[in-house]
Amino acid sequence: MNIPLSLTSKLAASACLLLIQASSIATATEIRTNILTFGLTSPSTTYYYKSGDKVYEFPVGMYGLSSPLVYRGDSDLIIHDDPDDFDDPMATPVATVSLPTDCSRILLIASGTGAATLAPHKIAAELEAGDYVFFNFSSLNLSVNLDGQVFGISSGGKQLVAKSTWRESILDLPIQIHRPGPSGPVITYSSLWGHRNIRKNMVFIFDGTSPNSIKFVRPYDVHMDGEAEGVDDTVTP
């Protein structure tokens, strides 16, 4: 599915998204953080990044959230499509993205093909376990009622949603989503969502297969206090 350029541009221009409380210790040029990736398109090749003095494969799966990648390096993350390019100062990266310097967990949305377009997103400490962040990549302006929390989310926009009971309990959450119609709002989606209070929830909304319909990808992140920071098992030989 092709994502309209206007939508990706809006998200690329927005502030960075932090999935967990800011806690990274960083200087002006070097940071330690975890990166999660989510791809809007299928990558055309394999990408690589460098953390510390090692080169790793940079996973970008279409509509899939990666495992956390441990990153230690400059706040300007460089991506190459050949691991040997990191030894060549004249090599041109396929992408360079400026990462926030105060984040322990960063979501990178890859919205391009070929020379990947990487948009970092940071939501300061508001996204706690049990909360939701919605990204609307559909062409519709939508109104959402999630368990009594009512909000609008325009095409290309994002929205944080929280409720105290979501942070405390395992629940079934009723959800209705409306789109504009000629005579007023029209229900385009209605369901119950299973909810677990240990998850930090991301909801990606896309155009469906029929006119004025939508579909979802609903990954989540779980980060427990005291657990190891990320994974470090994707070393490129």
Side-chain angles (χ1 to χ4, degrees):
M1 180 182 66
N2 293 323
I3 307 299
L5 181 60
S6 60
L7 302 188
T8 57
S9 297
K10 290 177 185 177
L11 286 169
S14 63
C16 299
L17 164 67
L18 174 63
L19 300 179
I20 297 183
Q21 290 89 336
S23 63
S24 292
I25 299 175
T27 67
T29 58
E30 183 169 295
I31 63 173
R32 294 182 63 92
T33 190
N34 287 344
I35 297 171
L36 297 93
T37 68
F38 185 88
L40 302 182
T41 57
S42 182
S44 57
T45 187
T46 302
Y47 298 115
Y48 302 90
Y49 74 106
K50 189 172 185 179
S51 177
D53 58 358
K54 296 181 180 179
V55 175
Y56 301 84
E57 187 172 319
F58 188 77
V60 181
M62 185 173 179
Y63 298 167
L65 188 69
S66 73
S67 297
L69 312 175
V70 171
Y71 177 71
R72 177 171 59 85
D74 196 90
S75 56
D76 286 338
L77 173 67
I78 294 174
I79 306 296
H80 284 291
D81 56 6
D82 185 338
D84 293 335
D85 284 349
F86 287 96
D87 296 323
D88 181 1
M90 301 301 292
T92 301
V94 296
T96 302
V97 57
S98 294
L99 300 175
T101 60
D102 59 349
C103 303
S104 65
R105 227 160 172 87
I106 298 166
L107 172 65
L108 282 179
I109 297 179
S111 58
T113 56
T117 302
L118 297 171
H121 293 268
K122 170 187 174 184
I123 297 171
E126 293 97 348
L127 192 64
E128 299 183 16
D131 295 352
Y132 289 78
V133 58
F134 283 73
F135 294 86
N136 185 7
F137 287 98
S138 80
S139 58
L140 301 173
N141 297 321
L142 301 171
S143 175
V144 181
N145 184 337
L146 179 62
D147 192 34
Q149 299 294 93
V150 180
F151 58 94
I153 180 168
S154 60
S155 175
K158 70 172 182 277
Q159 179 68 46
L160 280 169
V161 195
K163 193 174 182 178
S164 59
T165 53
W166 301 349
R167 297 174 177 177
E168 300 165 356
S169 307
I170 298 174
L171 302 165
D172 287 327
L173 305 183
I175 181 169
Q176 278 195 347
I177 299 179
H178 296 77
R179 61 172 176 82
S183 302
V186 176
I187 295 177
T188 189
Y189 178 83
S190 181
S191 187
L192 280 176
W193 283 2
H195 171 85
R196 297 179 66 87
N197 58 319
I198 63 170
R199 296 174 176 174
K200 297 175 174 66
N201 301 281
M202 287 159 275
V203 182
F204 295 86
I205 306 173
F206 302 94
D207 286 322
T209 55
S210 59
N212 294 320
S213 68
I214 55 176
K215 61 183 180 181
F216 301 91
V217 180
R218 294 173 50 204
Y220 59 85
D221 184 37
V222 176
H223 180 77
M224 308 298 288
D225 291 340
E227 77 170 339
E229 287 285 331
V231 296
D232 196 5
D233 59 356
T234 54
V235 178
T236 301

